[in-house]
Amino acid sequence: MGSPLLSSPSSSARSPWSALVLAGLLSLVGFLMLIMLIGFWQSGMGMTQDTLQRFLQGELGLIEQGGFWFLAIQVMNQLLMWAVPAFLVATWLGGIPQHLGLRQSYHMQHVLWATLCILAAIPLVQATYIPADSFQLPEFMKEWEADMLAREAQTQAALTFLFSNKSLGAVLGNLLVFAITPAICEELFFRGLLQGQLSKVFSAHLAIWITAALFSVIHFQFLGFFPRLLLGALLGYFYYFSGSLIPAILAHFAYNAFSFSLAYAAYAQEWVDPAMAEDGAPMPWYLVLGSLAAVGYLMWRFSRNPSPKEMLNE
């Protein structure tokens, strides 16, 4: 069953390739603007280059209110690299709602099945992480390998610092930055814009997987490439089968919120073993198999619910 969004002809005569190139350029401009803003902030704070570098690598305790500034940088990153380019390109194409999947109505069943499916996928996702101790690149790439593993450790150090703060303001700030903002900004850019444009050039399924691969690569966490590829594909199919971006946004939020809650329980309250909150936490085979079966069933149920527009056309 095809999605009306991906199968209907575009109301704009602009080339999908032009839209994709423009999206990439605007995202790059957003990244450069972020670097400029960080430079202005560094100058205003009187911070040395070494301190800034260590701060961005995860040593958030080096400066006063380091957690707040780190979260602010993350929000600016999401807005400048993903949300703003998506809105600008969609406007250039002829309208934000129709080119970002925001005009289409959707069923609450789509939201329900998408949320249940992405939460059921958690054990399967965890099982696809590459263990750090088994990650080996050829000898000539050892320096690159060490850099990738260092980045993974730096990310974990930053998250541990942030989630160890038990104040209500810190909890709400972390929820906003790590659950709500990425769910909206990343879905607008990757599923709403990129997948929508790629589907005009390739088949819908190929567009979904290309978008999922790009979505995974931009996180620059190579041990988690396959988990994010899987998550990106699920989010892409939520968009494809429903004809609306809303189920994908809400499912993305649900996954992020679960991860956030687990991290908070581990690092702030010590209710669970911190090892369970880390990416790639070990999962028993029967839980992974059950997760795979549940995802398959829920995706089947999701695909069986036609979009509202398809129902009107029947």
Side-chain angles (χ1 to χ4, degrees), residues 9-241:
S10 172
S11 60
S12 172
R14 300 190 188 275
S15 164
W17 287 116
S18 299
L20 292 168
V21 170
L22 181 59
L25 290 175
L26 288 175
S27 184
L28 177 59
V29 169
F31 176 69
L32 295 176
M33 290 180 63
L34 178 65
I35 292 176
M36 290 177 58
L37 290 173
I38 292 175
F40 292 142
W41 171 68
Q42 175 193 2
S43 178
M45 295 283 288
M47 194 185 309
T48 66
Q49 187 63 32
D50 178 68
T51 300
L52 175 63
Q53 184 174 355
R54 290 169 59 193
F55 171 79
L56 294 176
Q57 290 175 344
E59 296 184 48
L60 307 189
L62 286 175
I63 64 172
E64 187 177 354
Q65 295 186 319
F68 167 80
W69 289 114
F70 185 81
L71 294 180
I73 291 172
Q74 298 305 309
V75 171
M76 292 303 297
N77 174 66
Q78 288 285 332
L79 292 175
L80 292 175
M81 290 192 66
W82 312 130
V84 172
F87 283 125
L88 290 176
V89 175
T91 300
W92 178 74
L93 286 170
I96 290 173
Q98 62 267 37
H99 291 288
L100 292 181
L102 300 177
R103 185 179 61 181
Q104 289 70 24
S105 58
Y106 61 94
H107 286 307
M108 285 307 298
Q109 292 98 318
H110 283 135
V111 174
L112 173 64
W113 294 124
T115 302
L116 290 176
C117 184
I118 207 158
L119 293 178
I122 289 173
L124 179 61
V125 168
Q126 289 290 329
T128 58
Y129 272 91
I130 302 173
D133 54 3
S134 65
F135 182 68
Q136 297 287 334
L137 289 177
E139 193 63 34
F140 69 93
M141 300 179 70
K142 286 299 181 182
E143 184 175 345
W144 190 36
E145 175 185 326
D147 181 65
M148 285 190 291
L149 294 177
R151 287 178 182 272
E152 298 281 344
Q154 290 160 4
T155 300
Q156 192 61 46
L159 293 178
T160 301
F161 179 90
L162 291 169
F163 290 130
S164 62
N165 191 332
K166 301 180 182 182
S167 70
L168 178 61
V171 172
L172 294 178
N174 288 333
L175 183 65
L176 172 67
V177 174
F178 293 111
I180 299 174
T181 306
I184 297 173
C185 297
E186 292 176 2
E187 290 310 304
L188 286 171
F189 186 84
F190 288 96
R191 254 60 64 179
L193 180 62
L194 294 194
Q195 182 175 313
Q197 295 304 306
L198 285 170
S199 66
K200 299 174 184 177
V201 180
F202 305 108
S203 70
H205 299 288
L206 183 56
I208 288 170
W209 285 97
I210 292 175
T211 304
L214 293 172
F215 171 73
S216 184
V217 166
I218 59 93
H219 283 84
F220 292 103
Q221 292 178 304
F222 294 93
L223 301 182
F225 174 80
F226 292 109
R228 288 187 176 83
L229 177 69
L230 176 59
L231 289 171
L234 287 175
L235 293 167
Y237 279 109
F238 297 155
Y239 182 29
Y240 172 62
F241 285 123

Side-chain angles (χ1 to χ4, degrees), residues 122-127 129 156 159-160 163 255 257-268 270-288:
I122 289 173
L124 179 61
V125 168
Q126 289 290 329
Y129 272 91
Q156 192 61 46
L159 293 178
T160 301
F163 290 130
Y255 183 88
F258 177 86
S259 300
F260 165 80
S261 300
L262 187 60
Y264 178 77
Y267 300 123
E270 299 181 350
W271 292 335
V272 298
D273 186 348
M276 294 300 298
E278 295 180 1
D279 291 337
M283 291 287 163
W285 66 268
Y286 52 85
L287 198 58
V288 176

